[in-house]
Amino acid sequence: GNSVTQMEGPVTLSEEAFLTINCTYTATGYPSLFWYVQYPGEGLQLLLKATKADDKGSNKGFEATYRKETTSFHLEKGSVQVSDSAVYFCALSVREYGNKLVFGAGTILRVKS
Amino acid sequence: DAGVIQSPRHEVTEMGQEVTLRCKPISGHNSLFWYRQTMMRGLELLIYFNNNVPIDDSGMPEDRFSAKMPNASFSTLKIQPSEPRDSAVYFCASSAGGDQETQYFGPGTRLLVL
């Protein structure tokens, strides 16, 4: 089946620290991979995506590279800000399964000033 | 551009009452998804529609839940009768034909069943 596993949180960092949130996946077929972010009290927003192996998605200083050999899509940012505090969800979709999104459990990020 | 619109934003009701959640997708989007989010289960896909037709309702928890999409700009999720375990945040999302993979989420409806 299709599933996503991401590191448990909460992750607590000081401002300007380096961020990594690990995400690995299992998929039947060739998935597209996503990171969504949920700020407090809001819905999910697409942060970045990658649709094929070795693609790098990037947005707002965040990056993730689609690694087929390790079935991973780790999220990174070089210098986090307090405003990055949110819940981050890794997700996949497989066209053969109607492009339904399969989400990981989410990782809470707290950035302290 | 208006995003996905959901109403109400908050709903408090008593066990046994009927609850109706509403969603207006982004204009021009032809797929619509209903999700439920709880601390225990995370994000669960309940049902999704393509061109107003229900495609997959395997995530609908039981017969108390029903969803409709009478036209391209409106969908409802109904719970009848409601139970305390239905308390959750319910999200609606939509996606467009040219990029079905990218879903745009509404702000959610926070439901509390007492």
Side-chain angles (χ1 to χ4, degrees):
Chain A
N2 300 320
S3 66
V4 175
T5 302
Q6 58 183 109
M7 64 189 285
E8 289 190 25
V11 174
T12 303
L13 296 173
S14 297
E15 210 164 17
E16 299 184 4
F18 184 85
L19 168 71
T20 300
I21 301 178
N22 290 337
C23 170
T24 57
Y25 67 89
T26 302
T28 53
Y30 201 113
S32 294
L33 303 173
F34 305 81
W35 277 101
Y36 278 81
V37 57
Q38 184 179 27
Y39 298 103
E42 298 184 11
L44 280 72
Q45 303 174 24
L46 178 66
L47 181 59
L48 53 85
K49 71 177 188 180
T51 58
K52 61 183 188 294
D54 300 325
D55 269 2
K56 178 186 283 187
S58 61
N59 186 24
K60 299 181 182 179
F62 291 89
E63 293 183 339
T65 300
Y66 189 144
R67 300 285 187 206
K68 192 174 181 199
E69 64 276 13
T70 55
T71 61
S72 65
F73 193 55
H74 305 320
L75 182 68
E76 296 181 337
K77 187 175 185 183
S79 175
V80 293
Q81 305 300 313
V82 172
S83 57
D84 294 326
S85 298
V87 183
Y88 291 81
F89 292 90
C90 186
L92 67 83
S93 73
V94 180
R95 190 176 300 274
E96 290 81 358
Y97 290 88
N99 286 318
K100 292 187 292 185
L101 279 171
V102 176
F103 286 94
T107 302
I108 297 172
L109 171 65
R110 297 183 180 133
V111 181
K112 299 191 291 188
S113 59
Chain B
D1 279 344
V4 175
I5 298 172
Q6 292 187 246
S7 64
R9 292 295 308 275
H10 303 273
E11 177 82 25
V12 181
T13 190
E14 293 189 346
M15 184 173 64
Q17 297 298 305
E18 177 179 294
V19 175
T20 299
L21 311 181
R22 297 172 176 80
C23 175
K24 177 178 169 56
I26 293 173
S27 177
H29 283 194
N30 65 335
S31 292
L32 184 140
F33 306 80
W34 282 102
Y35 292 89
R36 179 171 66 177
Q37 185 179 40
T38 61
M39 289 294 293
M40 292 297 294
R41 294 184 143 151
L43 267 166
E44 303 173 277
L45 176 66
L46 300 177
I47 185 171
Y48 83 95
F49 296 84
N50 194 40
N51 294 323
N52 311 339
V53 176
I55 302 300
D56 185 347
D57 65 354
S58 59
M60 295 286 262
E62 49 198 272
D63 291 347
R64 296 185 297 107
F65 285 68
S66 62
K68 294 182 180 179
M69 192 164 186
N71 57 62
S73 58
F74 184 65
S75 177
T76 59
L77 178 68
K78 187 176 293 186
I79 309 172
Q80 167 64 20
S82 58
E83 297 183 3
R85 60 192 168 123
D86 302 330
S87 298
V89 181
Y90 291 82
F91 289 104
C92 176
S94 68
S95 66
D99 181 12
Q100 288 285 346
E101 297 177 325
T102 301
Q103 295 182 21
Y104 296 84
F105 282 72
T109 295
R110 187 173 296 273
L111 173 66
L112 178 62
V113 183
L114 301 173

